[in-house]
Amino acid sequence: MDDKAVLLNYLQLRRADLLSKIDGLSDYDARRPMTPTGTSLLGLLKHVASVQLGYFGEVFGRPSEKKLPWFDDDAPLDADMWAGPKESRADIVELHELSARHSDQTIDMLSLDAKGEVPWWTGERRHVTLHQILVHMCVETARHAGHADILRELIDGAIGNGPKDPNVSHRSPEEWVTYREELEAVARTYR
C-alpha cells in the first residue's frame, strides 16, 4: 500500500469509528449535550463532516455544492458543534457520508504533493499539500472519535469498538466498579 492509501485507510477507519458511536442510541442520546460546553455525539459528527468538506474541498479548489448555513456570519455561535432543531440525525449522517465521498474524490484525484491553500490559516502556514491535510484530518477525526468514545461511555457504558474489541479490558459491571474504586483510592492519596 502506498502512503496515500495508508493515510486514506486510517481516515476512513476513524470516520467509521466516529459514526458508529451513535449506533443503537435514541435520537435524544445522540444529540444531548454531555459536557459543560455542550459536546454531543451528533455535534461531533456534524463538526468533523463540516471541516472535512472545507479541508478537502475549498482548500484544493473543489468546494462542495452543499451549503453549510452554520458557517454564515449570522449563524449561532458554534452552530457546527450541535444538531439544530431542524436537523435530524439522518441529515447529519447524510452530511457525514457526503463529506466522506467528496473528500475521497479529492484524495483520489490529487497526488500527495498537490498544493492547496487554507484560507482560515495565517501566513505561510496556509500553504499546504494534500499530504499535510490528510494527516491533519486523520488527527482531527481521531481526536473527535476519542471524544465520542467518552461520551458514549457516559451515555450507556458502551466502550471501545464493541464487545469483541481486543483493545478493551473485558470486565463485568461489578468488576468495573471495583476497578474504578481502586483508581479513586490511589488518586485520593494525592489530595
Side-chain angles (χ1 to χ4, degrees):
M1 214 184 291
D2 68 7
D3 289 344
K4 183 165 74 167
V6 168
L7 287 167
L8 178 58
N9 182 59
Y10 273 104
L11 179 59
Q12 290 170 336
L13 288 170
R14 299 302 72 87
R15 284 180 194 146
D17 288 346
L18 179 57
L19 184 59
S20 75
K21 292 303 165 182
I22 63 170
D23 288 348
L25 290 180
S26 68
D27 285 348
Y28 168 72
D29 282 335
R31 72 172 47 237
R32 72 178 164 133
M34 295 299 299
T35 69
T37 58
T39 306
S40 69
L41 290 171
L42 282 180
L44 290 171
L45 196 60
K46 178 181 173 182
H47 171 73
V48 169
S50 300
V51 298
Q52 182 171 242
L53 278 175
Y55 282 113
F56 291 114
E58 293 169 56
V59 168
F60 294 101
R62 296 192 68 246
S64 166
E65 293 179 11
K66 178 76 174 170
K67 178 152 173 38
L68 304 178
W70 45 89
F71 289 134
D72 291 345
D73 290 338
D74 63 344
L77 190 61
D78 298 320
D80 69 316
M81 293 295 297
W82 53 281
K86 295 181 181 175
E87 294 172 308
S88 71
R89 171 195 198 122
D91 292 336
I92 293 173
V93 169
E94 182 181 314
L95 174 66
H96 180 271
E97 292 169 350
L98 174 131
S99 172
R101 283 191 308 275
H102 186 81
S103 299
D104 289 357
Q105 288 169 355
T106 299
I107 294 163
D108 184 54
M109 59 190 287
L110 299 175
S111 65
L112 283 179
D113 60 354
K115 304 282 188 226
E117 184 175 342
V118 183
W120 51 91
W121 289 2
T122 58
E124 282 305 307
R125 182 174 174 253
R126 70 185 345 183
H127 301 287
V128 296
T129 63
L130 178 63
H131 185 239
Q132 287 172 277
I133 295 303
L134 257 167
V135 170
H136 177 81
M137 280 309 303
C138 283
V139 171
E140 172 93 2
T141 306
R143 178 178 187 218
H144 293 310
H147 294 143
D149 283 339
I150 293 166
L151 297 185
R152 181 63 189 255
E153 183 177 352
L154 291 171
I155 291 168
D156 69 357
I159 58 174
N161 291 318
K164 295 183 181 180
D165 188 337
N167 296 311
V168 175
S169 299
H170 297 284
R171 294 180 167 95
S172 69
E174 297 78 21
E175 290 170 323
W176 280 115
V177 168
T178 301
Y179 175 68
R180 189 184 181 290
E181 288 171 352
E182 290 171 10
L183 299 180
E184 180 65 28
V186 170
R188 285 180 188 204
T189 65
Y190 289 91
R191 280 187 175 175

